[in-house]
Amino acid sequence: MASRPTVQQQARALVIQQSLQSKRVSLVKSFGAKLLATVQAPAAAENNMKQACANVAGAPPVAKGVALAKRAVAPKPGQKKVTVKPKSEEKKEKKSCSLTSVFTARSKPKDQILDIDASDVDNELAAVEYIDDIYKFYKLVENESHPRDNIDSQPEITERMRAILVDWLIQVQTKFELSLETLYLTINIVDWFLAVKNVPKRELQLVGISAVQMATKYEEIYPPQVHNFVFLSGRAYTHEQILIMEKIILAKLDWTLTVPIPLVFLLRFIKASVPDQELENMAHFLSELGLMNYATEMYWPSMVAASAVFAARCTLNKAPLWNETLKLQTGYSQEQLMYLKVVYRKYSDPQKGAVALLPPAKNLLPEGSSASQ
Amino acid sequence: MWNEESDWIGSFDSQLARLAECRMCSRDRGERPDATGMDLEVLEVAEEGSYGRVFRCLDIHTGALVTMKQITMVRLSQGVPAPIIREVSLLKELHHANIVKLLRVGLTENRYVNLVFEHLDYDLHHFIVNRGYPKDALTVKSFMYQILSAVAYCHSLKVLHRDLKPSNVLIDHSKRLIKLADFRLAGEFADDLLYTEKLGTSWYRAPEILCDSRQYSTQIDLWSVGCIFAEMVIGQPLVQAINCRDELEGIFKLLGTPTEETWPGITKLMPNLHIYYPKFDALGLETFVTDLEPSGLNLLSMMLCLDPSRRISAEAALKHAYFIDVNYVSLLLL
């Protein structure tokens, strides 16, 4: 009889460390992350991650913008940690596909490319004849509506505080049975507002509350009423304050709520993946967990979505990991998606297929790191 | 209590703080047009509607004429209404030469949302009525191409117009430039009221909406464009009925009462179809829409197709043979 994994075994999560201070100069350079595998307990792992972050920040960049992997100083004597180089150092750098070249690829032989809209031709609401234009437009505007990396300029708000808020907003979504669209839009609004407006620490939750109210009005058929949010905040804020904050946010955002959130790409890319229920749940899980991490917000929504699908396929050992249909629909090659994050959260319960309890994606571990397990 | 709230307000921009202070005072400004903070000089009231009012204004900085649509917010206890948030954010995303431009949005202290649009001096309704309709075939073709370009653009963004009619087609007269306007805003009243009580509104409604279908898509706008097309050619609305039922009967007289063969799914949508409506044979569009070249008539018949799933899309319509000489048309009119 298989026993439940020990805490130590669960800690063997694969984590990609990304320098939080570095800015993305180009799409390719943003892959300058390195893999870190550790056999330490969760608390020690967190401590080591901090060390690794600090170390990466100080590392001199190489010509291609990929930071050299260095062994972090062990916080305690005797503790062992393995640092490995990313695969990209061993490969020639590839140019990212331009939007034009992606759509030019349609001239390829038809037998290699799956027509993922074939079953929707008769569904008027699927707007099949416009779907290519729709996603072309989303790609064009996704950078335009992307929050800027600006949380460091907040005098009182930290990334950890944002993560706590996002976690709470996910609970709000669950409690009110709100749509995924509402959740993604809420977090986009929060990040946008934090990028353009300094917020006192005690008002951060108010921003979150007003943002979710706006998002529900945009996305839901029946938005929850304001008094529900007053209750949720434990009456930390008044009805009036929530409404005033709503107007302030609308004015600051200049009423821009029609944004391409990662979810619009995720749904499309999942479809291109010809999913089963397990793959679909896994992809949603990974994309949603990305919301918790501020660094993830710095990537384009389409890349976050494509990465989630790729990681889900790796975890579930789908073969091939990436194919021509996925490459065409997402605009990303497999090489561009190799740097991923796999963490465990909400989908651990059986209702979601217990996908989080599946072993980490071994395909993502380079050759040299197998010794660490 | 007051001091605590004052401290909270002080943590934001002074301008927004004043906005908040005024909001909490709940002062009602009465019926005067409230353009506070919009930098506009109100010239006249252009229109009164159930959702609010429309003003002709002068932009103080640029001296340009603009149109300000002032929408009254209802249910203030819930903040900015959902339909306004939804529609305004969509309007802001529409950037096309043939769509009227939303210049800026302002929230007044009390209960209005002010939408400022570029101003155009004319609309297609007046153009048809006052000029005895555009007899020039090239003008009709040019207008149709521009309308379809705007509609195809909206549909490619998953936006439906839902209220296309000649009065919502604005014209820059000197340039013969078309701009679509008046996307549905702040629909706080039930659709049924809008359709049945307001004379003329149902004339451009697609049959699937007149049948009370809850599931409709981009095709409803193509039906409306078809009605506009016909009206430009014959100088009057194609079917002028008082209510939805009579409008539908007029359509059936013209195109034939639908059967399961001509409109698959119609018996499920309207189980009592043959109880309420006689079985008409199609009279044919050509008997009503004379003076339209054969390719134009062909395009019109594809837009005024009863079955939504067979109705032509805006994108496909732009490629129709009727527009084969559209570049020549553009050059001629410029």
Side-chain angles (χ1 to χ4, degrees), chain A residues 209-210 213-214 216-218 223-227 229-230 238-248 250 255, chain B residues 23 71-86 107-113 186 188:
Chain A
I209 290 170
S210 294
Q213 166 170 277
M214 290 163 60
T216 59
K217 288 178 175 178
Y218 185 85
Q225 297 208 337
V226 178
H227 67 85
F229 296 118
V230 174
T238 65
H239 189 115
E240 202 62 54
Q241 284 174 302
I242 294 175
L243 297 189
I244 291 171
M245 178 60 75
E246 180 189 48
K247 287 188 173 182
I248 292 171
L250 273 175
W255 296 75
Chain B
R23 177 64 186 88
I71 300 172
T72 308
M73 290 190 281
V74 297
R75 297 183 70 228
L76 285 176
S77 66
Q78 298 302 312
V80 183
I84 291 181
I85 288 181
R86 205 175 273 144
L107 281 164
T108 66
E109 292 90 343
N110 196 3
R111 58 193 169 111
Y112 299 117
V113 180
E188 289 296 322

Side-chain angles (χ1 to χ4, degrees), chain A residues 17 58 111 121 138 167 179 206 231 247 279 294 324:
Chain A
Q17 295 300 319
D111 51 286
V121 167
Y138 284 153
D167 184 53
S179 67
L206 177 60
F231 174 78
K247 287 188 173 182
L279 174 59
Y294 189 67
E324 288 301 321

